[in-house]
Amino acid sequence: MQNHRMRLLLALLLPALLAGCANQAGTPTQGVPATPPPAATPPQAATATPPSLPTPSPQLSPTSAVTAELGRPFELRVGQSAVAGPVMLTLLGITSDSRCPTRVTCVWEGAAEASVRVAVGGQDQGTHTLTLFGQNREAAESSALLAGYIVRFVGLDPYPAEPQPIPAADYVARFVVERSTRAYTPVGDGTFEGVIVPEQDADAFDSRADGYWTPVETDVRALEAGLPGFLHSAAAERSPELWRRQAAYKRQYAGLIRAGRRLVYASFLCSTHGDDWRRQVVVVLDGGDCYFQLTYDVERGTYGDLVINGEA
């Protein structure tokens, strides 16, 4: 009888005990949210942190060059380049602009100077200053003869209306690149060395001559024959030894016409700083008796116009 009561009591309590265990194992209590256990992270092999790579510097794209034709004008802004045949021309800047403004009365027409860098066939020919006068008037200073090509500065816009500076970014310069037909003919016999300057370049020595011509070797030899005697007399006061020293000087000969007379203009250079003197006119304004000039009348066989440079 007593065992029967014990079985009955266990039968009544067992469901309640099971319900309580289930509640403690996982059933959430009302009002308290269940927090899921964190997911297990699978073990990973240790890896080294890759070194940081330097940020690549931006690559400078090559400056786009204007394509130009030999013998035809083309325009450049400051900083631009142009390629005409084998010649690359870069406008570095307009270094001065003193052109007389259109609304101003001036005693001089003024000038503008362009700084250009030139390469011919990939060979650097250096930086040159080209000068344009007044209303786009060209002169000897407006062009340069470089490795068989002539670079000419032929125009510059805008033209000033008032005496105020023009921003560099506003300038548009015009140039022409052309092959040179001006051959500088070497001449000499071992006792002297020179070049005959062609007629087209002779105005660089005297822009006010009545005309120009190209001497030949016989004209040069006639000049040289009597040169020591002339200098011994004419240069005695300024440079007594010039008649001896002149043999070591380089020469440039050009043909001028003055008052109907054909003259050989001779420029003597004790120092040339390279070989450019063989291809283009060299004009030096000082330097003392290291530089001198004279003329020779080919018909009369007489000398004149001796000028010995002053000191700087």
Side-chain angles (χ1 to χ4, degrees):
M1 184 68 181
Q2 187 175 359
N3 290 338
H4 176 74
R5 288 178 180 175
M6 288 294 295
R7 292 192 191 99
L8 180 61
L9 180 59
L10 289 173
L12 292 173
L13 292 176
L14 184 59
L17 290 173
L18 292 174
C21 291
N23 186 55
Q24 290 180 0
T27 303
T29 306
Q30 187 174 1
V32 180
T35 302
T41 303
Q44 295 182 352
T47 57
T49 303
S52 59
L53 298 176
T55 303
S57 57
Q59 297 295 317
L60 296 177
S61 58
T63 304
S64 58
V66 175
T67 300
E69 294 184 43
L70 290 173
R72 297 199 173 205
F74 57 88
E75 296 182 344
L76 289 179
R77 292 186 178 272
V78 173
Q80 282 189 314
S81 299
V83 174
V87 179
M88 173 172 275
L89 172 69
T90 301
L91 176 59
L92 301 179
I94 303 300
T95 54
S96 71
D97 188 354
S98 62
R99 294 173 296 170
C100 180
T102 55
R103 297 178 185 173
V104 177
T105 300
C106 305
V107 296
W108 184 56
E109 62 182 331
E113 293 185 342
S115 177
V116 299
R117 192 166 189 86
V118 181
V120 179
Q123 297 296 314
D124 185 20
Q125 302 296 318
T127 300
H128 303 268
T129 297
L130 305 180
T131 304
L132 195 64
F133 294 89
Q135 297 273 4
N136 294 338
R137 183 176 69 82
E138 291 186 67
E141 299 90 339
S142 305
S143 61
L145 176 62
L146 303 165
Y149 289 84
I150 300 171
V151 177
R152 293 169 46 214
F153 183 23
V154 300
L156 181 64
D157 292 323
Y159 195 89
E162 303 287 349
Q164 296 180 359
I166 296 172
D170 291 351
Y171 281 117
V172 178
R174 287 186 298 282
F175 298 92
V176 174
V177 175
E178 55 195 0
R179 288 188 180 88
S180 173
T181 58
R182 308 174 187 181
Y184 282 50
T185 306
V187 61
D189 59 5
T191 62
F192 69 93
E193 183 180 13
V195 292
I196 297 175
V197 175
E199 176 182 345
Q200 300 95 320
D201 284 358
D203 64 342
F205 291 118
D206 182 358
S207 61
R208 297 184 179 181
D210 300 330
Y212 307 96
W213 60 288
T214 303
V216 295
E217 186 171 348
T218 54
D219 300 321
V220 170
R221 292 191 178 279
L223 181 156
E224 290 290 340
L227 180 63
F230 170 70
L231 291 177
H232 189 274
S233 170
E237 185 175 346
R238 280 286 311 276
S239 182
E241 292 299 312
L242 188 59
W243 71 277
R244 297 180 191 272
R245 293 166 40 212
Q246 55 79 28
Y249 286 41
K250 309 301 184 188
R251 286 103 147 105
Q252 292 189 321
Y253 309 95
L256 308 180
I257 298 175
R258 294 177 182 163
R261 310 297 305 178
R262 290 199 313 151
L263 309 175
V264 176
Y265 180 97
S267 175
F268 296 80
L269 315 163
C270 78
S271 177
T272 58
H273 303 291
D275 286 338
D276 283 351
W277 71 277
R278 301 178 187 276
R279 298 179 291 272
Q280 62 189 54
V281 168
V282 176
V283 177
V284 181
L285 301 180
D286 51 35
D289 63 2
C290 195
Y291 305 93
F292 67 95
Q293 307 84 41
L294 54 81
T295 57
Y296 176 76
D297 188 315
V298 294
E299 281 83 20
R300 294 176 177 174
T302 56
Y303 298 87
D305 305 311
L306 173 64
V307 175
I308 299 174
N309 283 19
E311 299 288 347

